[in-house]
Amino acid sequence: MNDNGDDAAAVAREQLARLEHEMAAPPFHAVLRPEAITVEPDGSVVIRLPFNPALRGARDADFYHGGVIASLVDLAAHAAVAVRVGHRVPTIDLRVDYLRALGGVDLVATGRVVGAGRSIGRADVEIKAGETVIALGRAVFSTVKHS
């Protein structure tokens, strides 16, 4: 592998470690238990949410509660933008399209930065249960670094 490949791999490992650290900070994440899977060279992130029956929409249901899906959209979008700009970014707006109710399996969210400027960042998120896309989302964040 050449130096550029070594450098890219080192950056990817550093970004993944930073993402894992950031995801461990919020107490709410102790309930959700998200796992950072990868940070791609373009800044896209992949996050897995292990199945937990406590996150179902109803006691006798086999689908995830909509709030869990919305939280995962926010989490994955935030992660993608934060990795790109290098610091935490507060959410300004969040949109979720619920496509299908599924549960009983882990969820995988892929967050991709659409744009990140001096004041605003946007990311799109796709959430899959197995091979099935169950939700799409977009979130907007303030990228202004606050002390």
Side-chain angles (χ1 to χ4, degrees):
M1 188 180 270
N2 63 27
D3 287 341
N4 289 339
D6 291 341
D7 291 345
V11 168
R13 283 192 303 274
E14 181 181 310
Q15 288 177 329
L16 183 59
R18 183 179 187 287
L19 177 58
E20 289 170 338
H21 174 75
E22 292 291 334
M23 285 177 39
F28 181 55
H29 291 185
V31 174
L32 292 178
R33 299 184 348 243
E35 300 170 357
I37 303 300
T38 60
V39 176
E40 300 297 330
D42 67 354
S44 298
V45 300
V46 178
I47 296 171
R48 184 170 74 88
L49 187 68
F51 175 70
N52 177 348
L55 303 179
R56 293 176 300 175
R59 290 186 194 280
D60 60 346
D62 189 31
F63 57 86
Y64 283 91
H65 186 282
V68 172
I69 303 298
S71 294
L72 186 55
V73 167
D74 190 36
L75 195 155
H78 174 271
V81 174
V83 164
R84 173 77 61 92
V85 302
H87 59 85
R88 291 183 183 166
V89 291
T91 306
I92 295 172
D93 190 38
L94 179 68
R95 172 193 166 77
V96 182
D97 293 331
Y98 300 94
L99 306 176
R100 178 174 281 183
L102 284 178
V105 298
D106 295 351
L107 298 180
V108 176
T110 302
R112 293 178 182 87
V113 174
V114 176
R118 288 179 291 158
S119 59
I120 299 289
R122 291 176 291 133
D124 287 343
V125 177
E126 177 183 80
I127 298 179
K128 288 185 173 182
E131 294 300 313
T132 304
V133 177
I134 65 164
L136 299 171
R138 174 169 281 186
V140 180
F141 302 90
S142 170
T143 57
V144 176
K145 189 168 185 177
H146 299 280
S147 308

